[in-house]
Amino acid sequence: HGEHEVLCTEVAVEVHQECQCGCKLQEHHCHPQLQYYHQPSCRCVCSETEKRSVCLLANKVWDPYSCQCLCPLHTIQPCSTGYMFDFSSSCSCVQVSAEASEGMIAAIVILSVAMAGLVIAGLVMYNQKTGLCKEVSESDPKDPDKNRDSDHIQRTGLMSQKSRKEYEVATRDSNITLYQFDEKRDSLNNKNDTVNEI
């Protein structure tokens, strides 16, 4: 039938010289708390077989990789606003407020602990009269100078700018107490009132 053209080429052939039988999936691939390694079948097997049985009896799907009971695909549906699909237990739409996320629970716990800490700190400060609950000073009938200093701390904050300036000038010029300043000022006011009446 005629002549044919001969075409020569080279082909690389892979030669396996050190082949052995083994599993691609090894024991370190299994989740230690959920699975154990089954070497004859080269796979990780879920440890809790009872959960798998309960899951299958409830007409749900068992996931051998995560060892969790899941909803069958035909039950998954979109949910209206305010609802979300519950993949873990009911396999239906539930209100979002009924499902508390771990983050929300953690935030509530942290806020509760912080509030309790603030209340306890406030009670300690109140009992020890420190911080915001610090008492300025208590009256001591035996020590009139102490009472005057207490009055000074309490009253100078309530003085008008003019009165405070007058008091600062008086204390700078002579070592006068607030009590002496009040007496001196009252006597000056009384003299002015008497002069005004005449």
Side-chain angles (χ1 to χ4, degrees):
H1 300 241
E3 278 186 41
H4 294 282
E5 189 174 320
V6 177
L7 181 63
C8 296
T9 185
E10 291 183 14
V11 176
V13 176
E14 187 176 336
V15 178
H16 294 266
Q17 295 175 348
E18 294 183 17
C19 295
Q20 63 181 3
C21 184
C23 300
K24 284 186 178 180
L25 188 70
Q26 295 294 319
E27 187 173 1
H28 67 274
H29 293 112
C30 300
H31 192 283
Q33 282 83 25
L34 301 175
Q35 302 168 322
Y36 66 91
Y37 184 66
H38 187 254
Q39 191 170 4
S41 62
C42 295
R43 63 189 179 108
C44 298
V45 178
C46 296
S47 303
E48 298 191 31
T49 55
E50 292 174 21
K51 283 187 178 180
R52 181 181 180 276
S53 300
V54 170
C55 177
L56 295 175
L57 287 173
N59 293 323
K60 293 185 179 180
V61 178
W62 182 256
D63 180 8
Y65 301 105
S66 65
C67 298
Q68 290 182 331
C69 190
L70 304 174
C71 300
L73 289 176
H74 71 275
T75 63
I76 298 174
Q77 60 186 338
C79 300
S80 61
T81 305
Y83 288 83
M84 63 180 273
F85 192 80
D86 178 15
F87 288 95
S88 59
S89 57
S90 69
C91 297
S92 63
C93 294
V94 294
Q95 279 188 323
V96 174
S97 60
E99 291 290 314
S101 68
E102 290 179 14
M104 182 65 75
I105 292 171
I108 291 171
V109 168
I110 290 170
L111 285 174
S112 299
V113 169
M115 290 297 290
L118 286 173
V119 168
I120 291 170
L123 289 172
V124 168
M125 285 192 293
Y126 178 76
N127 287 337
Q128 295 181 354
K129 307 295 184 213
T130 59
L132 297 174
C133 302
K134 184 177 181 180
E135 287 185 8
V136 176
S137 157
E138 293 182 9
S139 296
D140 187 0
K142 296 177 186 175
D143 188 1
D145 289 334
K146 185 177 178 184
N147 291 342
R148 289 184 194 131
D149 290 342
S150 172
D151 288 344
H152 167 75
I153 292 169
Q154 291 175 350
R155 289 194 45 227
T156 53
L158 301 174
M159 286 181 167
S160 67
Q161 287 181 342
K162 181 180 176 187
S163 297
R164 186 178 296 164
K165 190 67 176 171
E166 289 173 358
Y167 177 68
E168 288 173 2
V169 168
T171 56
R172 196 173 349 140
D173 293 344
S174 62
N175 193 11
I176 189 171
T177 65
L178 184 60
Y179 180 74
Q180 292 167 338
F181 174 76
D182 285 341
E183 285 181 342
K184 184 176 178 182
R185 190 161 187 203
D186 287 343
S187 66
L188 286 174
N189 286 339
N190 287 339
K191 285 181 187 177
N192 288 340
D193 289 342
T194 308
V195 171
N196 287 342
E197 289 176 5
I198 297 178

